[in-house]
Amino acid sequence: MSDDEGLPGHSHNEDLARDLSVFDITMIGIGAMIGAGIFVLTGLAAGQAGPGLVMAFAFNGFITIFTGMVYAELGSAIPEAGGGYLWVREALGRSQAFLAGWMSWFAHAVAGSLYTLGFGAFVHLLLTDYFGIALFEPVDLFLLTIGPEKVFAVFAGALFAYINFRGAKETGLAGNIVTMVKVTVIVILIAFGLGYIFGNPAEASDRFQPFLPRDFGGVFIAMGLTFIAFEGYEIIVQSGEEVVNPKKSVPKAVFYSMSVVVTIYMLVAIVLIGAVTVTPDLFQLAQEGAASGAHGATNLPPVPDNIEDAAVWEILGHLGELGLARAAGQIMPYGTVVILVAGIFSTLSALNATTYSSTRVSFAMGRDHVLPDAFSAVHDEKRTPHIATALSGALIVFMAVALPIEAVAAATDVMFLLLFLQVNYAAIVIRREWGDQIDYGYVMPYFPYVPIIGIITKLALAVYLFNYSPLAWYGAIAWILVGVGIFFLYSRSRVRETEAKEETRLITEERAPEQRGYQVLVPIANPDHAEQLIRAGSAVARHQDGEVLLTSVATVPEQTPLSEGRRYADEQRELLDEAMQYAPDDVPVHQTVTIGHDIAKSINNVAYQRDSDLVLLGWRGQRKHVSDYALGSNIDTVVENAECDVAVLKTDGTTDSSRVLVPTAGGPNSDLAETVAAAYAGSGAEVTLFHVATDGDVDGDRSFLENRQEVLAESDIDVDIAVAEAGDITQTILDHARDGEFDSIIIGAAGEGILRRVLFGEIPETIGEEFEGEVLMVRKHRPVQSAVKRLLGKWVGKGAKATNLGE
Amino acid sequence: MVSTLTIGAILTLLAWVGLQVAVIHGKYVVDSIAAGEYQKGPFSEATGGGSDE
């Protein structure tokens, strides 16, 4: 995706054949949700929730439908491959999208690890119990215990990485058949189980008591643990580009699949608890499982000493990933073998899908230039992203070997829950900002409460999972921190380059023959102010042995692609040609015309791309007392987001500054003001450093100014100094400037708030507005402070802005 | 006194019914939008229709 426009006009270059029906994508969703999750996780979850497992599945379905509605809405409006990552990128920007993609990569890879481990356990059981093949005992290798299951898991992970490298993928028909077989097996299991329950109602109902042996805490953990099973809507929306009439089909498939799947899960739980007896065999297997700790037994109560005291759910918990398979042996003929074989196919198809997804996510991130380009490399012969595939496969295998299965499951859930948090938030922003422009096929009711409930419930579940597996959270946090590190060290600058290229296009450029290191960027919008701005900019450039870059921005409406906007640029070109008459001979002056949707963003992009050191903006001298802006929307945006020093010149028409007053109180902004004043002095102006002593320490303040005077004198800049004792700083400066017949005031920004909107501060802005002559306000770029402020603005401010827009 | 099982069963049923209601409502909204009869959406602001809800 590399289009220039916002979400409403979203388009893509490659058109896929639209041949999937509602039924097809509903089956894709069901296939994903009745996949390995039910075979692998049901036993583990039963050990946590007890008979309350039924409730855990129902609650999971209920809270998942909130995010399901979000997916239905966005999937109907923007039916493109990319799903959550795409929406987060469009709504919240590339920095949040990086995090979403980074988590999505990990989530899909770790889900793959879970399926490899499930596959390993099923194959191991099948070989040992049903084919009588003796396998080696687990061996301790450093901190890890490697048993046959792990070896099978590694084999499966590596095999499917290779299959994905070869480019083989499941066809739609084969996928449907696998899903139908899985669902049929489960439905037969349910039918047998319900038959038993209806035949033995008293016995079955006794097994549901106590209903919540581990209270609601156990239910919440089971919900978090099995949440991965309900993420099928992510896969449904991924197929949006291949669906007939996606506006209707995608949301319907999301809803139908949720309805069917949650019902099936609940019925499986009912059957599992109600139709299974604790036999001596099961009891013994559970005791062995507890003793070996192979199935997350550390998180479960111990197996009772007597078989009479053991409840079915306790036994299932200690059987872990083999719980459903073992129990199925009681429920239907050949139940264990059937479930094992179905489980093997399910885990393999799920592994194939997750290997494919994690590869595609990391590939997309490489293509978006937020991960190294190697991720987006395509193999010459196979035409597959071989490096992304290899690294995803390595991640899958590493996690499968390094972590126990319950920690892998919990880590996957934590990652998906965090990813869904972002998607819910993105849905709010998208509806607020572009809602009236998007052609929705479904809209969620009670907006924005639905995504807000989605956020709260997902967050609560994710946090609660810490009780179950702190290791999963540590792993998740470590992964996120590594991602943040990569983002700041590597991706951020590339994201900025990509944004700049997408937001702003260069139309024409005329370079002066000579180029110098220091650059003053002077945006020109009004020919009447060009002379004054070029004079000031040239003075600074001359002082710094630098150059001036004049720029003018042509703007086109959001709906118009930048590529169509060249014809709007003629006026800007003429404006700059005219302004060039004021260019001095001794300073190189370049000119460039750019086009963008937003003037301020384009100015900052030009400054970023050309590595400008100072942006000099013109200002009419009128503050915006009633709006959200201090000096004007464009000036405010440039100043707040500039990645270099910035100066705002009150354009009063002055063409010569012979007397310059520099109110100073020390600090980086005042230092910059002194530097600019020195540039004026170099052009022949008389400069006076001025300080208002509000604390009565006139001698101390004079000493401070003398110190500054000496520093400037070392550079052959002679300046005067003056100190006045007063309480009202602003009025004193204005009075001194008027009485002394100064033409210009150069003043540094008075302060910078992290959360408050402060451009230059009350004193400089009041002086700028009230002084009759030229006023130049300057602000030094402070990267760390600006980064924190921008980050807060992006994560907090964007939502706030969006909320305001909706009001 | 009502047993935990009864309360659990009721809560479970309510959650399941809630899900099914959301599903049926979802289908209704999709069909209504397709038929051009649904006015409660952000798109209605542009066309002078009703509010969000």
Side-chain angles (χ1 to χ4, degrees):
Chain A
M1 312 286 169
S2 61
D3 44 315
D4 314 305
E5 312 317 312
L7 210 42
H10 218 268
S11 61
H12 45 88
N13 297 328
E14 303 86 17
D15 281 332
L16 301 173
R18 292 195 178 275
D19 52 6
L20 297 179
S21 64
V22 181
F23 176 78
D24 288 330
I25 56 169
T26 304
M27 290 305 283
I28 287 174
I30 291 174
M33 293 191 268
I34 307 271
I38 203 163
F39 294 101
V40 179
L41 296 175
T42 314
L44 286 166
Q48 299 300 325
L53 180 65
V54 188
M55 188 159 78
F57 284 147
F59 280 9
N60 244 348
F62 183 68
I63 68 163
T64 302
I65 198 65
F66 289 97
T67 303
M69 285 190 261
V70 166
Y71 268 78
E73 175 172 309
L74 294 177
S76 76
I78 310 137
E80 289 183 25
Y85 171 68
L86 169 74
W87 303 329
V88 171
R89 195 188 72 186
E90 293 296 316
L92 307 178
R94 288 176 186 271
S95 54
Q96 282 222 42
F98 173 84
L99 195 57
W102 185 249
M103 292 197 301
S104 178
W105 183 31
F106 187 77
H108 284 107
V110 186
S113 306
L114 176 67
Y115 301 141
T116 62
L117 287 171
F119 167 80
F122 293 159
V123 171
H124 183 217
L125 184 63
L126 200 63
L127 291 180
T128 51
D129 278 25
Y130 291 91
F131 291 98
I133 300 170
L135 297 169
F136 68 92
E137 291 296 312
V139 291
D140 288 329
L141 208 66
F142 302 109
L143 296 172
L144 305 171
T145 302
I146 306 292
E149 303 98 327
K150 294 259 182 185
V151 173
F152 291 130
V154 170
F155 170 75
L159 177 69
F160 275 83
Y162 179 70
I163 288 173
N164 272 269
F165 161 68
R166 289 289 302 267
K169 70 171 190 177
E170 201 176 276
T171 66
L173 179 63
N176 275 359
I177 291 170
V178 170
T179 302
M180 293 293 279
V181 170
K182 285 191 292 198
V183 173
T184 306
V185 166
I186 295 292
V187 168
I188 292 171
L189 181 80
I190 290 169
F192 272 102
L194 288 180
Y196 174 87
I197 289 172
F198 286 125
N200 306 273
E203 202 178 324
S205 63
D206 279 351
R207 291 182 183 138
F208 282 91
Q209 301 204 52
F211 189 66
L212 300 174
R214 304 187 75 185
D215 295 325
F216 275 100
V219 173
F220 293 147
I221 287 176
M223 287 170 68
L225 200 57
T226 55
F227 189 82
I228 183 183
F230 300 97
E231 55 100 11
Y233 39 72
E234 170 82 17
I235 293 168
I236 289 175
V237 299
Q238 296 276 4
S239 31
E241 287 179 41
E242 299 163 68
V243 180
V244 179
N245 195 358
K247 289 200 180 303
K248 283 180 76 173
S249 305
V250 169
K252 280 187 175 178
V254 168
F255 289 122
Y256 294 161
S257 58
M258 287 292 300
S259 172
V260 171
V261 165
V262 173
T263 308
I264 287 178
Y265 266 81
M266 288 170 64
L267 289 171
V268 166
I270 289 170
V271 164
L272 208 54
I273 301 293
V276 177
T277 309
V278 181
T279 61
D281 280 351
L282 277 185
F283 186 69
Q284 190 190 344
L285 288 166
Q287 281 182 319
E288 289 170 8
S292 69
H295 310 300
T298 47
N299 294 301
L300 297 171
V303 180
D305 294 332
N306 299 316
I307 188 170
E308 295 80 18
D309 301 330
V312 174
W313 63 270
E314 289 176 293
I315 302 302
L316 290 172
H318 283 286
L319 293 173
E321 67 272 26
L322 300 174
L324 181 68
R326 296 283 194 194
Q330 276 188 38
I331 298 172
M332 66 182 190
Y334 305 104
T336 303
V337 183
V338 169
I339 290 294
L340 281 179
V341 172
I344 286 169
F345 277 108
S346 292
T347 48
L348 288 183
S349 70
L351 175 60
N352 189 31
T354 47
T355 306
Y356 182 83
S357 309
S358 61
T359 299
R360 289 306 179 275
V361 170
S362 56
F363 172 73
M365 292 176 77
R367 204 171 46 184
D368 280 356
H369 306 299
V370 293
L371 284 180
D373 293 341
F375 279 87
S376 62
V378 176
H379 192 266
D380 290 339
E381 186 190 339
K382 306 294 181 191
R383 312 298 300 161
T384 52
H386 55 298
I387 293 174
T389 306
L391 289 170
S392 299
L395 191 58
I396 289 171
V397 168
F398 174 77
M399 297 301 286
V401 172
L403 291 179
I405 192 165
E406 81 276 9
V408 171
T412 315
D413 287 308
V414 167
M415 277 295 169
F416 272 116
L417 286 164
L418 295 179
L419 179 65
F420 291 151
L421 284 187
Q422 284 187 301
V423 174
N424 278 291
Y425 181 46
I428 296 174
V429 174
I430 287 172
R431 175 89 86 95
R432 293 284 197 207
E433 294 210 1
W434 296 289
D436 57 349
Q437 302 165 46
I438 292 178
D439 188 13
Y440 288 103
Y442 166 78
V443 286
M444 69 183 102
Y446 303 112
F447 176 84
Y449 303 110
V450 164
I452 287 173
I453 292 171
I455 288 171
I456 293 170
T457 49
K458 304 293 173 297
L459 192 62
L461 267 190
V463 170
Y464 207 85
L465 268 177
F466 185 81
N467 294 328
Y468 178 71
S469 176
L471 189 60
W473 258 102
Y474 297 147
I477 290 170
W479 182 257
I480 290 170
L481 287 178
V482 169
V484 169
I486 290 174
F487 180 76
F488 278 101
L489 291 175
Y490 178 80
S491 312
R492 194 170 60 140
S493 60
R494 303 192 79 192
V495 165
R496 186 69 186 88
E497 281 168 26
T498 310
E499 278 178 348
K501 279 182 194 163
E502 288 183 358
E503 290 168 358
T504 307
R505 292 264 172 87
L506 177 74
I507 300 293
T508 60
E509 181 165 33
E510 288 181 32
R511 309 282 303 173
E514 190 185 353
Q515 299 196 26
R516 295 181 184 172
Y518 187 92
Q519 186 182 81
V520 180
L521 177 67
V522 183
I524 305 283
N526 185 339
D528 296 338
H529 302 148
E531 183 179 2
Q532 192 177 358
L533 284 165
I534 293 173
R535 176 183 56 81
S538 300
V540 177
R542 186 180 298 113
H543 179 68
Q544 301 280 21
D545 194 22
E547 61 185 24
V548 170
L549 174 62
L550 300 182
T551 189
S552 184
V553 181
T555 53
V556 292
E558 286 287 344
Q559 294 79 4
T560 308
L562 295 183
S563 54
E564 299 296 315
R566 285 180 177 272
R567 62 176 173 273
Y568 299 102
D570 290 343
E571 197 179 322
Q572 267 61 37
R573 208 174 295 136
E574 287 166 15
L575 180 69
L576 289 189
D577 286 342
E578 194 181 328
M580 281 300 284
Q581 65 179 302
Y582 306 115
D585 296 331
D586 59 338
V587 176
V589 178
H590 315 291
Q591 49 175 312
T592 177
V593 175
T594 55
I595 190 159
H597 297 302
D598 184 292
I599 292 176
K601 273 186 182 174
S602 297
I603 291 171
N604 280 336
N605 286 339
V606 172
Y608 174 79
Q609 289 172 320
R610 299 309 161 92
D611 202 17
S612 301
D613 298 281
L614 174 73
V615 177
L616 176 62
L617 301 161
W619 173 49
R620 282 185 221 150
Q622 292 158 348
R623 297 169 74 187
K624 309 285 179 187
H625 293 284
V626 288
S627 77
D628 284 345
Y629 298 108
L631 304 183
S633 60
N634 289 328
I635 296 176
D636 281 27
T637 309
V638 171
V639 172
E640 286 183 326
N641 297 292
E643 289 154 279
C644 62
D645 298 342
V646 62
V648 171
L649 180 71
K650 178 181 171 185
T651 46
D652 67 328
T654 304
T655 54
D656 185 35
S657 293
S658 56
R659 286 178 58 74
V660 178
L661 184 69
V662 186
T664 180
N669 295 322
S670 288
D671 289 349
L672 180 61
E674 286 174 23
T675 305
V676 175
Y680 272 58
S683 298
E686 292 174 21
V687 174
T688 300
L689 302 185
F690 181 58
H691 184 80
V692 180
T694 51
D695 55 358
D697 184 13
V698 176
D699 290 340
D701 292 335
R702 184 176 297 280
S703 166
F704 161 72
L705 287 186
E706 285 170 352
N707 190 2
R708 304 304 309 158
Q709 190 181 31
E710 285 170 19
V711 170
L712 289 168
E714 287 172 12
S715 306
D716 293 330
I717 308 288
D718 292 326
V719 298
D720 296 327
I721 58 170
V723 177
E725 187 177 358
D728 186 342
I729 298 172
T730 308
Q731 197 54 48
T732 307
I733 292 171
L734 285 169
D735 290 346
H736 192 83
R738 286 165 183 153
D739 295 345
E741 296 182 346
F742 285 93
D743 312 305
S744 306
I745 298 176
I746 300 176
I747 185 166
E752 189 174 344
I754 288 293
L755 287 174
R756 262 188 66 213
R757 176 182 284 272
V758 176
L759 273 189
F760 291 92
E762 184 60 29
I763 294 172
E765 288 170 20
T766 305
I767 290 169
E769 187 174 44
E770 294 189 7
F771 186 59
E772 297 75 15
E774 178 185 84
V775 177
L776 186 59
M777 298 181 284
V778 298
R779 197 167 92 164
K780 184 86 183 153
H781 176 51
R782 280 178 282 178
V784 174
Q785 203 165 349
S786 299
V788 171
K789 199 171 178 181
R790 264 200 301 275
L791 208 63
L792 283 170
K794 265 189 179 169
W795 287 68
V796 182
K798 183 110 186 179
K801 179 186 164 200
T803 308
N804 289 337
L805 281 173
E807 284 169 1
Chain B
M1 183 173 164
V2 185
S3 71
T4 315
L5 176 59
T6 309
I7 294 171
I10 291 170
L11 289 175
T12 302
L13 198 64
L14 282 176
W16 184 81
V17 169
L19 168 67
Q20 303 306 327
V21 167
V23 169
I24 293 164
H25 178 261
K27 182 183 181 303
Y28 159 75
V29 172
V30 171
D31 289 338
S32 300
I33 289 176
E37 295 165 358
Y38 195 75
Q39 298 301 318
K40 299 177 184 175
F43 42 80
S44 58
E45 290 166 16
T47 54
S51 66
D52 269 7
E53 304 307 335

